[in-house]
Amino acid sequence: MCFGRLITAMVTPFDEQLEIDWEVAGSLIDYLIEEQKSDSLVVCGTTGESPTLTDREKEDLFRFAVERAAGRCKIIAGTGSNDTRHSIHLTKMAEQAGVDGVLLVAPYYNKPSQEGMYRHFKAIAEATSLPVVLYNVPGRTGVSLSTETTLRLAQIQNIVATKECASVEQMTEIVAGAPESFVVYSGDDAVTLPALAVGGYGIISVASHIIGAEMKRLIEAYTEGRTADAAKINASCYPVFKGLFHCPHPVPNPVAVKAALRMKGLPVGGVRLPLVDVTDPELDFIRKLIG
């Protein structure tokens, strides 16, 4: 199953009461496909504020995204958690909703061993026929899925990819050791080009909400052998890659990207507690960043 090279981890639009705004959600999906050139969308990932979405909201979002996309792009459901049984439940729910694959974050907070993480992902993969994308993001979870464990998991038939945020070195090792059919995505926008250079396939992105079309041009330039062009595009995109997470101080995702989308005329609303919206100085920084 190919999810394409540019995947957007989609925000969840909220109204003034911080309930899901379905009209804006539909407009956002259209915009990400048509204007920002996303090949696939991750729904209910961390960027979609999955920790504060109920299971019912997630199920409704999975179904809505599948129906709205209508085959124009793939829909990947964020169904990972630190509870294996709950992840299996969410994954089965997503499969019934008609999604094309699932993204499973490494179990956070309870800090399982490598064997525990292997068994966690294996159990979920065996409970579904959907393609599975692993997600290693040590900065958020407190654990890191090792190269060795990732390569063990890559032998399981329907575990087809990983979203890697540990290091370019680890991406390199995974690319070198994994089956040819297993692909590596960067989970860090700023590492899109270096990831491609070491054999990564693409990016699961936040910045693609704002500069997706440019990122698609970057990827195409690199894959077509126009490396100097790719480097130039990367240099022009880099301030946005960094600025959406440091504006100018660290800001938790998706606070900044939601503010940027509002500036672009997409009223995606605010964020649910415990996240809080940008401050006035941060808003000024974002306004200058996206022009």
Side-chain angles (χ1 to χ4, degrees), residues 101-128:
V102 293
L103 179 71
L104 302 178
V105 69
Y108 42 84
Y109 190 73
N110 44 11
K111 302 185 77 168
S113 65
Q114 293 297 316
E115 182 63 22
M117 286 191 282
Y118 173 78
R119 294 188 192 185
H120 169 83
F121 289 119
K122 181 174 182 285
I124 302 167
E126 288 177 345
T128 183

Side-chain angles (χ1 to χ4, degrees), residues 33 39 65-75 100:
I33 297 170
D39 297 312
V66 169
E67 292 172 6
R68 186 70 177 220
R72 293 176 295 162
C73 77
K74 305 291 186 185
I75 300 298
D100 299 289

Side-chain angles (χ1 to χ4, degrees), residues 204-278:
I204 300 180
S205 174
V206 175
S208 54
H209 284 90
I210 308 302
I211 54 170
E214 291 91 333
M215 295 178 72
K216 198 66 171 287
R217 289 197 302 112
L218 186 164
I219 294 167
E220 289 172 350
Y222 183 84
T223 57
E224 292 169 5
R226 295 182 286 110
T227 54
D229 289 343
K232 288 179 182 177
I233 299 167
N234 181 68
S236 69
C237 291
Y238 191 77
V240 178
F241 291 161
K242 298 300 289 186
L244 289 178
F245 294 87
H246 300 270
C247 54
H249 307 292
V251 173
N253 185 44
V255 172
V257 73
K258 277 195 156 183
L261 284 166
R262 294 194 300 268
M263 290 177 192
K264 290 178 69 69
L266 281 160
V268 295
V271 289
R272 288 178 174 174
L273 287 170
L275 298 181
V276 295
D277 213 343
V278 289

